[in-house]
């Protein structure tokens, strides 16, 4: 979160922050720099998995493809796996953009930083940092929602049925 306002949002970065941290590993043992970036990207994917578990529990008045130990159906497992795989591409794109100094001469830096960034359709999104601001907006919205209701409360079919019956009686 601290890395965004220092390195990602301002046009000339104010401070290299995590880029400097990763680059200092390359001065004495390059594998540690790669491993630390991989751990950070893995951490972001673990955050996606925890987010999928939270959304499965907190979606208004019903659960949507819940993930429960020993009770997860195959279609729910495949649906959540699809979301994890779909989120892997934005995680790589975010890491490439956030750690541009570290990913400067890499293949993924060339693909996302040069080729995809200047495609006719995507160029406007990258020039205006739309993806970064969307991610920041989701972060702020999630912080507000989790601050408002931090506990998991699984939906109950009995509560939903009672609410529907009460509404049906009140509507007549």
């Amino acid at each position: 979160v601290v890395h965004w306002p220092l390195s990602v949002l301002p046009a000339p970065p104010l401070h290299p922050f995590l880029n400097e941290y990763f680059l200092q590993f390359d001065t004495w043992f390059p594998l540690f720099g790669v491993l630390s970036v991989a751990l950070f990207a893995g951490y972001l994917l673990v955050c996606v998995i925890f987010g999928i578990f939270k959304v499965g529990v907190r979606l208004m008045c019903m659960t949507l493809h819940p993930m429960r130990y020993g009770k997860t159906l195959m279609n729910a497992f495949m649906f959540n796996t699809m979301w994890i795989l779909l989120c892997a591409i934005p995680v790589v794109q975010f890491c490439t953009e956030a750690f541009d100094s570290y990913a400067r001469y890499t293949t993924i830096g060339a693909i996302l930083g040069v080729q995809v960034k200047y495609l006719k359709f995507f160029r406007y999104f990258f020039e205006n940092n739309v993806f970064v601001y969307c991610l920041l907006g989701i972060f702020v919205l999630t912080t507000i929602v989790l601050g408002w209701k931090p506990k998991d409360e699984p939906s109950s079919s009995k509560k939903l049925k009672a609410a529907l019956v009460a509404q049906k009686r009140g509507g007549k």
Side-chain angles (χ1 to χ4, degrees), residues 70-129:
K71 298 179 182 177
T72 303
L73 299 174
M74 184 55 79
N75 63 344
F77 182 74
M78 295 303 290
F79 180 81
N80 291 313
T81 302
M82 175 198 69
W83 279 111
I84 294 169
L85 290 174
L86 285 175
C87 289
I89 297 167
V91 164
V92 170
Q93 187 267 336
F94 175 75
C95 288
T96 304
E97 191 171 332
F99 311 128
D100 57 348
S101 297
Y102 187 78
R104 184 176 35 219
Y105 300 117
T106 60
T107 304
I108 196 67
I111 291 171
L112 291 175
V114 177
Q115 295 175 356
V116 174
K117 195 172 190 175
Y118 296 107
L119 287 172
K120 287 182 182 180
F121 179 75
F122 289 114
R123 185 181 67 198
Y124 304 107
F125 293 107
F126 282 106
E127 286 175 357
N128 298 318
N129 284 332

Side-chain angles (χ1 to χ4, degrees), residues 22-80:
F22 295 138
L23 287 171
Q24 67 93 16
F25 279 123
D26 283 347
T27 59
W28 56 279
F29 193 65
L31 182 63
F32 287 154
V34 172
L35 287 176
S36 58
V37 171
L39 284 173
F40 185 80
Y43 169 75
L44 290 176
L45 280 175
V46 168
C47 290
V48 167
I49 292 169
F50 281 123
I52 288 172
F53 275 83
K54 293 284 184 189
V55 168
V57 172
R58 294 174 181 241
L59 190 64
M60 293 188 223
C61 63
M62 64 178 190
T63 57
L64 180 68
H65 298 287
M67 297 284 284
R68 292 187 211 118
Y69 184 72
K71 298 179 182 177
T72 303
L73 299 174
M74 184 55 79
N75 63 344
F77 182 74
M78 295 303 290
F79 180 81
N80 291 313

